[in-house]
Amino acid sequence: MHCLGAEYLVFIMGYSVVAGATGRLLFGYDSFGNMCGKKNSPVEGAPLSGQDMTLKKHVFFMNSCNLEVKGTQLNRMALCVSNCPEEQLDSLEEVQLFANTSGSFLCVYSLNSFNYTHSPKADSLCPRLPVPPSKSFPLFNRCVPQTPECYSLFASVLINDVDTLHRILSGIMSGRDTILGLCILALALSLAMMFTFRFITTLLVHIFISLVILGLLFVCGVLWWLYYDYTNDLSIELDTERENMKCVLGFAIVSTGITAVLLVLIFVLRKRIKLTVELFQITNKAISSAPFLLFQPLWTFAILIFFWVLWVAVLLSLGTAGAAQVMEGGQVEYKPLSGIRYMWSYHLIGLIWTSEFILACQQMTIAGAVVTCYFNRSKNDPPDHPILSSLSILFFYHQGTVVKGSFLISVVRIPRIIVMYMQNALKEQQHGALSRYLFRCCNCCFWCLDKYLLHLNQNAYTTTAINGTDFCTSAKDAFKILSKNSSHFTSINCFGDFIIFLGKVLVVCFTVFGGLMAFNYNRAFQVWAVPLLLVAFFAYLVAHSFLSVFETVLDALFLCFAVDLETNDGSSEKPYFMDQEFLSFVKRSNKLNNARAQQDKHSLRNEEGTELQAIVR
């Protein structure tokens, strides 16, 4: 199944190289069918085509700050020029002087530079004034306007959402240095959290939970203070400030709700801190047998970035696969070939499936390394190169397992994306409340199914690493084993996952706080809600990438423990593979769970006895 999918993806990639005009994408082309930086062949019916553009390597958009949309077509004129104007040109005389000094002609090729200031057609054949300063974009050689407002207007018109996207992109462009700095901060905090979990102690957990509580309360307080500051600022007149005020209110409400839920959970689960510290110490002991597991997210992230870049390149190359058509005025446009849209759809499916496949390979690799270290009789002599051994077993024997698991996730993800798209479309068309409610229910069901399948897949990969069985058999065995032994470790494992989740929350809190302080300085000139959301999403993604190793190791360890209990009894003939530290931890956690169960049962019995007691008069 995956072989056919991979072959078709390779076919799409090959077709995009053959049928797509990758040169037009990389080097750019003007409005007359000429590729910049190349010697071109003429297009029939286009008199300005077929020119030698060897020395004109940059694409210049004549009206980059004043684009217009006619119908569904973008009315823009592009030329190949020698250099981009790095300073603003306010008059045709300055455009003429720039052409004479630099040899870069910014008007249509049919107009001589001498006639820039004399020809009555100069207004329609030359760029609209003022010409903004621009620089060549690296690799693609496009003259990109340097002013954030001009750049964002150009990008927003390209996707037909001028008003809102203009301000959003303007905020992103003007705050790009701040966004980059916050992303680096999120990366540093994630590394710090990873080392905190690596050398965790009871004191560190208490400090860590205190920081989480302070961070949540501090971010909520800052958001409500900013909203109060906005509402009492009588000088607010710009749309950007009003939009920021609405977004701050939304952020404040959401963060307050999340904070309340997390504080309640922390209070309820506070008594399990000591056992959780012991759990992480056992996890770190397993990781110390294969310390390079901590670097596994970096390798996976690098492979994902490479695949995403390749995917985008193929997508753009498919977009350039078209036939030249001469339009009014001798301009040339490229119409997409028939069947391209179907390839785009399959290409999107390939993005989801292949991304899940790469992530599944990481889970399988970590699970295999943990299994190798766990089922090793000589604890003082750990196995050599468990990660390389797990990778080799994965690629030689178990690729079908991760293919099926990733395909199962993709089957759920794709309908969920379709439902979300339809839900947004209905929201824009203002349909009835019933249809919106049904779509929300469908989306919620798909989300729950997605989370369940992710957990099932992880346990299936671990079972495959233990028994060497196929995906379906491993998933069935994992479900039976976990159902039978869930009382041993479910509560402790859940609290361990909760502590890891709090680590991700801490990274997001401090990153968002830094973003609030940085973006608030220029709140009148940029919409910073979307940049802040992007920073928060990136912070959570990076934190999840690094801390997910501990989650995977935890789940794999407990499944190994369940299999150990199923196959061994602790006798001299069938000794446990687990070490004494792990065994004593399990006994203490079971004793605690049994004591609480008895306490709950006793209290319930007293309540029942009180309720059935006869009334004596």
Side-chain angles (χ1 to χ4, degrees):
M1 178 176 60
H2 189 262
C3 289
L4 291 175
E7 287 174 1
Y8 196 71
L9 285 176
V10 172
F11 167 75
I12 290 178
M13 189 183 303
Y15 180 82
S16 68
V17 172
V18 175
T22 312
R24 291 207 310 269
L25 176 66
L26 292 176
F27 302 108
Y29 61 99
D30 62 13
S31 298
F32 306 102
N34 298 300
M35 192 183 302
C36 298
K38 301 291 180 181
K39 191 173 182 179
N40 298 275
S41 302
V43 177
E44 186 177 356
L48 295 179
S49 64
Q51 298 194 35
D52 186 1
M53 298 293 180
T54 307
L55 300 178
K56 300 179 179 181
K57 299 181 179 180
H58 307 280
V59 182
F60 172 72
F61 299 98
M62 292 180 61
N63 301 320
S64 57
C65 290
N66 301 282
L67 297 178
E68 298 176 357
V69 178
K70 292 184 178 180
T72 59
Q73 297 295 324
L74 184 65
N75 183 26
R76 64 114 173 103
M77 181 76 72
L79 301 174
C80 295
V81 297
S82 302
N83 297 293
C84 302
E86 296 185 358
E87 296 181 358
Q88 182 168 300
L89 306 177
D90 297 310
S91 63
L92 288 176
E93 286 76 10
E94 293 184 6
V95 174
Q96 185 182 50
L97 179 62
F98 177 75
N100 293 332
T101 54
S102 66
S104 187
F105 305 98
L106 305 183
C107 297
V108 176
Y109 309 132
S110 58
L111 183 65
N112 190 282
S113 62
F114 177 77
N115 296 321
Y116 283 6
T117 56
H118 299 90
S119 175
K121 298 181 179 180
D123 289 338
S124 60
L125 298 179
C126 291
R128 190 171 299 182
L129 301 173
V131 179
S134 59
K135 288 185 179 180
S136 178
F137 188 77
L139 183 64
F140 293 103
N141 297 325
R142 268 69 167 179
C143 292
V144 178
Q146 291 301 290
T147 55
E149 294 80 7
C150 184
Y151 174 84
S152 61
L153 180 61
F154 174 71
S156 61
V157 172
L158 286 178
I159 54 177
N160 300 323
D161 191 8
V162 179
D163 296 329
T164 304
L165 195 62
H166 175 208
R167 289 191 286 270
I168 290 173
L169 291 177
S170 177
I172 293 175
M173 283 297 295
S174 57
R176 58 187 181 272
D177 295 334
T178 303
I179 293 173
L180 180 60
L182 291 171
C183 290
I184 295 174
L185 173 64
L187 181 63
L189 289 173
S190 300
L191 287 171
M193 287 307 307
M194 185 178 69
F195 283 106
T196 300
F197 281 113
R198 181 68 180 86
F199 304 102
I200 200 166
T201 61
T202 305
L203 178 62
L204 272 179
V205 171
H206 284 288
I207 295 174
F208 163 70
I209 292 179
S210 301
L211 286 176
V212 171
I213 295 173
L214 288 175
L216 288 169
L217 295 175
F218 203 60
V219 169
C220 286
V222 169
L223 285 169
W224 284 113
W225 173 77
L226 284 176
Y227 178 69
Y228 175 80
D229 187 45
Y230 271 111
T231 54
N232 289 276
D233 189 357
L234 301 178
S235 63
I236 290 181
E237 297 179 354
L238 298 177
D239 290 338
T240 54
E241 292 179 297
R242 295 191 184 95
E243 289 184 17
N244 286 336
M245 183 174 68
K246 293 178 182 177
C247 293
V248 165
L249 177 61
F251 286 158
I253 294 173
V254 172
S255 63
T256 302
I258 294 174
T259 300
V261 172
L262 291 178
L263 289 179
V264 170
L265 289 174
I266 290 172
F267 179 78
V268 171
L269 300 173
R270 69 191 186 281
K271 294 182 179 180
R272 298 184 179 273
I273 290 178
K274 186 177 180 180
L275 283 176
T276 303
V277 172
E278 294 182 24
L279 176 63
F280 277 109
Q281 289 173 347
I282 293 170
T283 303
N284 288 324
K285 190 174 181 181
I287 292 177
S288 63
S289 301
F292 283 102
L293 281 177
L294 295 176
F295 297 98
Q296 190 68 28
L298 294 176
W299 307 334
T300 305
F301 192 67
I303 295 173
L304 280 173
I305 291 294
F306 173 78
F307 168 68
W308 290 339
V309 170
L310 179 63
W311 185 88
V312 170
V314 172
L315 179 68
L316 294 176
S317 187
L318 283 175
T320 61
Q325 292 187 1
V326 180
M327 311 301 290
E328 183 181 356
Q331 296 187 31
V332 177
E333 290 188 358
Y334 293 90
K335 300 295 182 181
L337 299 175
S338 60
I340 287 291
R341 294 189 181 275
Y342 297 105
M343 290 188 178
W344 288 347
S345 301
Y346 192 86
H347 198 50
L348 177 61
I349 296 173
L351 170 68
I352 299 172
W353 192 0
T354 308
S355 298
E356 291 297 331
F357 175 79
I358 295 171
L359 293 172
C361 287
Q362 171 184 309
Q363 294 175 335
M364 188 75 182
T365 302
I366 295 175
V370 172
V371 166
T372 302
C373 296
Y374 183 93
F375 292 102
N376 177 38
R377 289 294 183 189
S378 179
K379 300 301 180 182
N380 296 324
D381 185 21
D384 296 331
H385 312 298
I387 298 177
L388 291 178
S389 175
S390 178
L391 276 172
S392 62
I393 293 173
L394 165 64
F395 285 110
F396 283 111
Y397 300 106
H398 297 310
Q399 283 197 55
T401 299
V402 292
V403 165
K404 290 177 183 177
S406 58
F407 178 73
L408 197 61
I409 297 296
S410 302
V411 166
V412 176
R413 289 269 169 91
I414 293 169
R416 186 184 170 198
I417 292 172
I418 295 173
V419 168
M420 291 174 64
Y421 174 79
M422 295 176 67
Q423 182 181 346
N424 292 329
L426 288 176
K427 188 184 298 183
E428 293 176 359
Q429 297 176 10
Q430 297 182 350
H431 277 249
L434 179 61
S435 59
R436 291 199 298 270
Y437 175 76
L438 289 176
F439 275 109
R440 285 174 184 170
C441 289
C442 291
N443 190 21
C444 182
C445 291
F446 277 120
W447 182 84
C448 294
L449 182 59
D450 182 37
K451 295 301 178 184
Y452 174 75
L453 289 177
L454 283 173
H455 182 67
L456 181 65
N457 281 4
Q458 174 58 54
N459 291 319
Y461 298 148
T462 306
T463 307
T464 298
I466 296 172
N467 298 326
T469 51
D470 61 272
F471 176 80
C472 296
T473 305
S474 298
K476 182 180 67 175
D477 292 343
F479 180 77
K480 288 181 179 179
I481 293 172
L482 290 175
S483 300
K484 193 179 298 183
N485 297 278
S486 60
S487 60
H488 289 289
F489 51 80
T490 299
S491 58
I492 299 297
N493 192 20
C494 288
F495 189 61
D497 291 339
F498 179 67
I499 291 292
I500 295 173
F501 175 73
L502 288 182
K504 302 172 189 176
V505 171
L506 183 63
V507 173
V508 174
C509 280
F510 279 93
T511 306
V512 168
F513 172 71
L516 287 172
M517 295 295 99
F519 287 126
N520 191 52
Y521 284 110
N522 297 316
R523 67 186 189 183
F525 303 106
Q526 59 181 356
V527 175
W528 48 261
V530 173
L532 189 63
L533 277 176
L534 290 175
V535 167
F537 175 75
F538 180 83
Y540 183 82
L541 182 66
V542 172
H544 176 74
S545 299
F546 282 98
L547 299 182
S548 63
V549 174
F550 293 94
E551 289 179 313
T552 306
V553 172
L554 267 177
D555 294 337
L557 272 178
F558 278 119
L559 189 58
C560 290
F561 161 73
V563 172
D564 200 4
L565 286 182
E566 285 286 314
T567 55
N568 301 301
D569 55 11
S571 61
S572 57
E573 291 80 12
K574 290 185 176 182
Y576 291 126
F577 281 94
M578 70 184 86
D579 54 20
Q580 290 300 317
E581 184 180 358
F582 197 0
L583 185 60
S584 60
F585 165 76
V586 172
K587 288 180 179 179
R588 283 196 301 274
S589 62
N590 285 340
K591 186 177 179 181
L592 178 64
N593 289 335
N594 292 333
R596 289 184 177 176
Q598 290 293 332
Q599 184 179 359
D600 294 340
K601 187 177 180 180
H602 180 69
S603 61
L604 181 62
R605 186 179 301 158
N606 288 339
E607 290 176 5
E608 290 176 352
T610 305
E611 184 181 21
L612 297 175
Q613 202 171 26
I615 300 176
V616 180
R617 299 185 182 278

